[in-house]
């Protein structure tokens, strides 16, 4: 695990814990929104990682398949993004907006770095029992 990954992981987790903890300790009305938006951020990170994995698998595929993939991706993603922006974010109480966005972004960073570390550990060569004894 690199030092930069540790810093990003710790900082993002600290931001999430601080924002949600402060909201629960001070009994702020935005506490449930912060919890929901932390899960939204985790889900967005997983979606982004899934899409990146699918794009990597597109190597060697015909151009038509690639165009169809991106057409479906944009056809689903743009309307969903527009709905989320207009019906969710812009209809929220303005004082909830900034903390919710901060928690969402921190959650995206946290899950992205965490999944990178997990996949890095899975790819790391396993030590033999004999090597561990030495």
């Amino acid at each position: 695990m690199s030092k930069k990954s540790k810093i990003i992981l710790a900082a993002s987790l600290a931001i999430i814990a601080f924002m949600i903890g402060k909201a629960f300790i001070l009994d702020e009305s935005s506490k449930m929104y912060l919890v929901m938006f932390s899960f939204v951020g985790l889900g967005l990170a997983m979606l982004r990682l899934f899409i990146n994995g699918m794009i990597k698998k597109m190597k060697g595929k015909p151009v038509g398949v690639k165009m169809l993939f991106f057409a479906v991706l944009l056809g689903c993603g743009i309307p969903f993004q527009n709905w989320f922006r207009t019906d969710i974010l812009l209809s929220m109480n303005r004082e909830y907006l900034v903390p919710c966005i901060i928690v969402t972004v921190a959650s995206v960073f946290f899950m992205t770095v965490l999944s990178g570390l997990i996949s890095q550990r899975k790819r790391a060569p396993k030590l033999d029992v004999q090597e561990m004894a030495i």
Side-chain angles (χ1 to χ4, degrees):
M1 179 172 359
S2 72
K3 188 175 181 177
K4 192 182 343 181
S5 296
K6 286 181 183 179
I7 292 171
I8 292 172
L9 195 64
S12 61
L13 185 60
I15 290 169
I16 296 166
F18 173 76
M19 297 290 287
I20 293 175
K22 180 182 83 97
F24 274 94
I25 290 170
L26 299 178
D27 198 30
E28 295 175 357
S29 57
S30 66
K31 61 187 170 195
M32 292 315 294
Y33 284 108
L34 293 174
V35 172
M36 284 188 286
F37 275 83
S38 67
F39 284 109
V40 167
L42 297 174
L44 285 172
M46 295 303 292
L47 179 65
R48 187 182 74 79
L49 293 167
F50 172 74
I51 296 298
N52 285 350
M54 295 302 292
I55 290 172
K56 286 180 184 176
K57 291 180 181 180
M58 287 287 157
K59 282 187 175 178
K61 301 274 185 189
V63 174
V65 172
K66 292 177 185 178
M67 289 175 57
L68 180 65
F69 174 76
F70 285 108
V72 170
L73 187 63
L74 290 173
C76 295
I78 290 175
F80 181 78
Q81 184 184 28
N82 186 43
W83 166 79
F84 189 77
R85 186 184 322 109
T86 56
D87 293 348
I88 305 295
L89 291 179
L90 296 178
S91 66
M92 285 177 64
N93 186 344
R94 296 290 180 225
E95 68 184 47
Y96 299 169
L97 197 57
V98 173
C100 286
I101 290 174
I102 291 171
V103 166
T104 303
V105 171
S107 298
V108 169
F109 278 111
F110 176 77
M111 183 54 79
T112 302
V113 173
L114 183 66
S115 65
L117 293 174
I118 290 171
S119 66
Q120 183 182 24
R121 284 196 179 168
K122 281 184 178 180
R123 283 184 270 133
K126 305 284 184 196
L127 294 176
D128 291 334
V129 177
Q130 295 171 351
E131 291 176 17
M132 291 172 60
I134 296 177

